[in-house]
Amino acid sequence: MAVVAGLYSCNGQPATSEGTKYIMVIHGGAGTIEKGLMTAEKEKAYTDALTAALQAGYHLLKEGRSSLDAVQAAINVMEDSPLFNAGKGAVFTHDGKNELDASVMDGQTLKAGAVAGVTNIRNPVNAARAVMEKSEHVMMVGRGAEQFAAANGCDTVPPSYFFTQERWDQLQRTIREEEKGRAAYNDFNPRDSKIYGVTERDKKFGTVGAVALDKNNNLAAGTSTGGMTNKRYGRVGDSPIIGAGTYCNNATAGISCTGWGEYYIRSVAAHRMSSLIELKHLPVEDAAKQVIAEIGEMGGDGGIIGLDRSGKVAMEFNTSGMYRGTVDESGNISVYIYK
Ligand code: ASP
């Protein structure tokens, strides 16, 4: 398996040599991710983590396992890594808690599962899959979701498991910024991206997502997140909302989003991308470009990844960077960070 670290690629896209068939694409969040703000060690840590996630998915796909298994395995690697805003390393709410959201969708059956606001499930994407496969529901929240996940074999952890000093310090900086007279929470202006008090430096969304294509030519997609730093009042973003943060349909593409969730919900971003493929017959990459352009026009920012059944991939974003990567059917891995 060859690993090509495309860290310095100019356009941040995989070398789309004609006929290359990608079988998995992942993201680890978009945001203010600039070379000048990154140390060599951090860059390597992200590259290694993205590579490990792609390898986990690739090995399963190669064995003939389902795209759902591959998506779950890749997301689990990133949930377990403190580098990403999902599972361990999730951002903190205003009250100093970690409330996690996740979703999955199966492109063959259009079945989907999601959990929101869970505080003690080690891998929220596993709980989302349990909702999809072991209940007649699509979405469960809070305590009920936790009880269901635990009863269906998902690992539980004490809430303190999710703590990282870096995310805690980020919350303290954010609260200080907010108190310095930025938009009061109740003076909500949807075009004012400073609502959470998040500074440019801290604006790394860090959500994780994956889309895979298996040997049976079925797609699956999933997304997992801690949400937005300083969120409150039980705020839920796009990541667990089917159609907003995640969507998957064999007829169009598998899609996972990261970014300012309110904009992704209002633009129904993942489903919008699927609709552009279905109704306007746009290639997956053009559909992704259009969705990100529309989110930008609304005042939002972030990224989106997609993969269709022919193995065509999209990784678009309107921030300075997005942790992302692909693996093709020969096992060639490429990871990218900057624009
Ligand atoms: N989209 C996520 C949310 O709004 C945040 C992220 O992408 O990191 O909850």
Side-chain angles (χ1 to χ4, degrees):
M1 182 182 296
V3 177
V4 186
L7 289 168
Y8 307 107
S9 77
C10 321
N11 61 7
Q13 293 299 339
T16 38
S17 52
E18 247 343 279
T20 302
K21 184 171 174 183
Y22 295 98
I23 55 170
M24 186 159 207
V25 56
I26 62 170
H27 70 77
T32 309
I33 305 166
E34 285 159 20
K35 203 147 173 56
L37 299 171
M38 188 77 89
T39 62
E41 296 78 57
K42 261 226 144 128
E43 203 172 79
K44 182 174 182 316
Y46 276 103
T47 307
D48 290 350
L50 292 167
T51 302
L54 286 160
Q55 280 167 337
Y58 176 76
H59 286 306
L60 295 181
L61 291 169
K62 209 173 158 216
E63 282 171 18
R65 298 268 295 274
S66 71
S67 49
L68 267 172
D69 287 346
V71 161
Q72 182 178 353
I75 290 181
N76 284 173
V77 169
M78 294 187 281
E79 285 177 332
D80 291 345
S81 162
L83 294 172
F84 304 100
N85 171 22
K88 172 99 189 155
V91 299
F92 284 93
T93 67
H94 184 74
D95 297 332
K97 303 207 169 82
N98 305 106
E99 294 178 355
L100 313 171
D101 307 329
S103 61
V104 282
M105 187 159 180
D106 178 342
Q108 182 188 16
T109 59
L110 302 187
K111 284 188 175 169
V115 294
V118 295
T119 59
N120 67 355
I121 305 299
R122 176 175 163 172
N123 295 108
V125 77
N126 299 5
R129 186 166 177 188
V131 171
M132 177 175 83
E133 291 178 340
K134 297 177 179 165
S135 85
E136 66 233 28
H137 305 303
V138 169
M139 189 170 195
M140 295 184 190
V141 303
R143 187 81 195 104
E146 291 169 357
Q147 282 169 348
F148 176 83
N152 283 281
C154 297
D155 285 351
T156 56
V157 287
S160 58
Y161 162 81
F162 299 107
F163 178 92
T164 57
Q165 191 64 44
E166 197 168 325
R167 293 299 189 190
W168 182 255
D169 294 345
Q170 184 182 34
L171 174 67
Q172 305 315 315
R173 282 196 299 273
T174 303
I175 289 175
R176 277 201 300 275
E177 282 302 316
E178 197 182 42
E179 282 167 359
K180 267 202 259 152
R182 291 184 181 243
Y185 197 88
N186 292 329
D187 297 336
F188 175 60
N189 171 359
R191 294 190 73 85
D192 183 354
S193 65
K194 296 182 184 71
I195 177 150
Y196 292 91
V198 179
T199 58
E200 275 306 310
R201 168 184 164 193
D202 283 322
K203 218 167 156 204
K204 293 185 232 6
F205 296 115
T207 287
V208 307
V211 186
L213 174 65
D214 63 30
K215 284 188 174 165
N216 292 322
N217 211 25
N218 288 318
L219 291 164
T223 310
S224 181
T225 190
M228 302 283 290
T229 299
N230 202 25
K231 66 182 182 180
R232 49 183 128 180
Y233 308 129
R235 179 265 187 191
V236 174
D238 60 312
S239 308
I241 297 179
I242 297 303
T246 301
Y247 193 71
C248 191
N249 186 339
N250 272 359
T252 55
I255 295 150
S256 171
C257 303
T258 174
W260 207 275
E262 279 69 14
Y263 294 91
Y264 283 74
I265 295 173
R266 289 160 58 219
S267 60
V268 205
H271 189 266
R272 170 88 178 139
M273 179 167 152
S274 172
S275 298
L276 289 168
I277 298 168
E278 181 184 351
L279 304 172
K280 276 187 100 183
H281 309 292
L282 292 190
V284 66
E285 211 183 332
D286 293 358
K289 280 197 170 93
Q290 181 165 333
V291 170
I292 291 301
E294 288 170 357
I295 284 173
E297 279 159 26
M298 289 168 80
D301 54 0
I304 197 163
I305 59 168
L307 176 66
D308 70 14
R309 269 178 126 184
S310 70
K312 294 251 164 24
V313 79
M315 300 188 285
E316 290 299 323
F317 51 99
N318 65 357
T319 50
S320 54
M322 178 166 81
Y323 301 111
R324 60 201 186 281
T326 55
V327 60
D328 67 19
E329 54 189 345
S330 314
N332 296 308
I333 286 178
S334 303
V335 295
Y336 309 87
I337 297 182
Y338 313 109
K339 204 145 208 147

